[in-house]
Amino acid sequence: MESSASSIESLAARIDSLESERAIRRLSHDYCLGFDKRDADRFLSIWWNDAIWDIGPPFGRFEGIAGIRRALYEVLWPAWARTQHLSGNHCIDFQSADRARCVSDVDCVGSLVGEADCQLVGATYTDQLERRDSAWRILERTVAIHYFNPVPGMTLSPPDG
Amino acid sequence: MESSASSIESLAARIDSLESERAIRRLSHDYCLGFDKRDADRFLSIWWNDAIWDIGPPFGRFEGIAGIRRALYEVLWPAWARTQHLSGNHCIDFQSADRARCVSDVDCVGSLVGEADCQLVGATYTDQLERRDSAWRILERTVAIHYFNPVPGMTLSPPDG
Amino acid sequence: MESSASSIESLAARIDSLESERAIRRLSHDYCLGFDKRDADRFLSIWWNDAIWDIGPPFGRFEGIAGIRRALYEVLWPAWARTQHLSGNHCIDFQSADRARCVSDVDCVGSLVGEADCQLVGATYTDQLERRDSAWRILERTVAIHYFNPVPGMTLSPPDG
């Protein structure tokens, strides 16, 4: 029979893996909420200082937390009047206890500044994640946009108050 | 070295936190499935008796399980011919072992009674949750609807059988 | 006071349940990613050899891994030019430690071959799952499609590179 000490160690490792997945999904959720609610602190807290955010066309590739911050304030937020991201399908694979890869999908509904018709965007995020000093953050997020198209005649607005 | 007893206690607390998050997400999922499939038992099981469901315009604010039940039968279900809610982005923060706040997003596709064109609705739920006698339920859900608009010319129907 | 050994056993059972839910959600996510990215290995790895995939109209009911593979290559992938599935709302109930039922919802955006206007599809998956030799897979997935309709004038395309 296994000794208690080694059992406890093995249980702790299993819990650590579940907690890591929770932390990794949370980064994805904070990305969506931070971006959509224009909460820069929340959005920027998910990246390592040396992170890369590679959105590709039409937005570009941004390096380092300063580059990501600039992209947010100078490229992305000025382009969108309004967005709603819903992320899901998180497939997380650990390369070690402190490194993981996560592939997930996102549906986004939004309005570009100056355009009446809203857009539907579907994309896949491929993330490289790292745990440093007990905290998980994104080291690299690559965005593959599968479609980015207007819905003819549909304009976004909240219900009348 | 830590004693086994204290280690076990600390592992149990970590498992409890993971189980609590699971229970909290499940409440959100039962909200969607209960509402969309018109399963009142499922939908009503997620709220404490003294809960508040604050949807805001155009639907209103409902207090207590009796008020929520009335809203369901007299306001919401009569208004919608069909809905599909997909919830995600659950950001859960514990205020204590038995109290938590959860912010999540939802995409809803639905048809209002008497209207041919379907609606797309995007919203954020802010939930206050409490555990009482080992069970997690919602104490207050506030809904912020970001857009609620028709898709011109799109009518919802299942495929021919 | 409970002995350490029995405590450890009870913690292990709770961790096992959390890990099982993680594995079950992962099957749903691999379904989406495997289908959408046309990664047959990923898609086929989620089913037991004796599994049933019952989509109903307009696609049909497919039995066994050979039937599911044929459905994929001869029915589904030829019908769709492009799809994006986002699954969520996973409600998992265990019938035993090795058997579970999962109800979840999916939003799908896609284009049928030969059609310019894209489709929005909303459906519910009801899954019967089994663990065999430590691995969870789907034994039966029944798809209830609630709507499957074109968005007039909306064509899917990626942004210009």
Side-chain angles (χ1 to χ4, degrees), chain A residues 15-16 19 22 26 29-30 32-33 37 42 82 84-87 109 152-161, chain B residues 14-15 17 21 57-58 86 88-93 103 105-107 120 122-124 145-150 152:
Chain A
I15 294 170
D16 181 68
E19 290 172 335
R22 165 169 71 176
R26 173 65 183 254
H29 301 336
D30 280 329
C32 295
L33 268 76
K37 277 72 184 169
R42 187 191 283 259
R82 182 194 300 275
Q84 163 107 339
H85 289 77
L86 195 69
S87 74
V109 181
M154 181 179 176
T155 302
L156 301 184
S157 61
D160 293 333
Chain B
R14 292 165 64 188
I15 295 170
S17 167
E21 287 216 11
L86 195 70
N89 293 345
H90 293 82
C91 291
I92 300 169
D93 292 301
V103 179
D105 289 314
V106 68
D107 280 357
L120 297 192
T124 297
I145 301 180
H146 307 304
Y147 60 87
F148 187 155
N149 303 101

Side-chain angles (χ1 to χ4, degrees), chain A residues 17-83:
Chain A
S17 167
L18 290 162
E19 290 172 335
S20 291
E21 287 215 12
R22 165 169 71 176
I24 288 168
R25 280 195 311 270
R26 173 65 183 254
L27 296 170
S28 262
H29 301 336
D30 280 329
Y31 175 98
C32 295
L33 268 76
F35 190 92
D36 293 344
K37 277 72 184 169
R38 311 232 160 176
D39 178 345
D41 288 344
R42 187 191 283 259
F43 186 83
L44 294 171
S45 72
I46 67 170
W47 308 92
W48 288 119
N49 276 338
D50 50 337
I52 292 168
W53 185 20
D54 187 356
I55 315 181
F59 294 116
R61 182 180 189 273
F62 309 99
E63 291 191 27
I65 195 71
I68 291 169
R69 173 190 288 273
R70 258 199 319 275
L72 198 61
Y73 281 105
E74 298 174 17
V75 181
L76 276 302
W77 282 347
W80 289 106
R82 182 194 300 275
T83 51

Side-chain angles (χ1 to χ4, degrees), chain B residues 25-44:
Chain B
R25 281 195 310 270
R26 175 65 184 255
L27 296 171
S28 262
H29 301 336
D30 281 328
Y31 174 99
C32 296
L33 269 76
F35 190 92
D36 294 344
K37 277 72 184 169
R38 311 232 160 176
D39 177 346
D41 287 344
R42 187 191 283 258
F43 185 82
L44 294 171

Side-chain angles (χ1 to χ4, degrees), chain C residues 102-113:
Chain C
C102 175
V103 179
S104 62
D105 289 313
V106 69
D107 281 356
C108 176
V109 181
S111 295
L112 292 166
V113 167

Side-chain angles (χ1 to χ4, degrees), chain B residues 8 15-16 19 22 26 29-30 32-33 37 42 82 84-87 109 152-161, chain C residues 14-15 17 21 57-58 86 88-93 103 105-107 120 122-124 145-150 152:
Chain B
I8 287 176
I15 295 170
D16 180 68
E19 290 172 334
R22 164 169 72 176
R26 175 65 184 255
H29 301 336
D30 281 328
C32 296
L33 269 76
K37 277 72 184 169
R42 187 191 283 258
R82 182 195 299 276
Q84 163 106 340
H85 289 77
L86 195 70
S87 74
V109 181
M154 180 179 176
T155 302
L156 301 184
S157 61
D160 292 333
Chain C
R14 291 165 65 188
I15 294 169
S17 167
E21 286 215 12
L86 195 69
N89 294 344
H90 294 82
C91 291
I92 299 169
D93 293 300
V103 179
D105 289 313
V106 69
D107 281 356
L120 297 191
T124 298
I145 302 180
H146 307 304
Y147 58 86
F148 187 154
N149 303 101

Side-chain angles (χ1 to χ4, degrees), chain A residues 4-6 8-9, chain B residues 1-4 6-7:
Chain A
S4 285
S6 72
I8 287 175
E9 213 164 292
Chain B
M1 187 198 150
E2 215 182 354
S3 80
S4 285
S6 72
S7 292

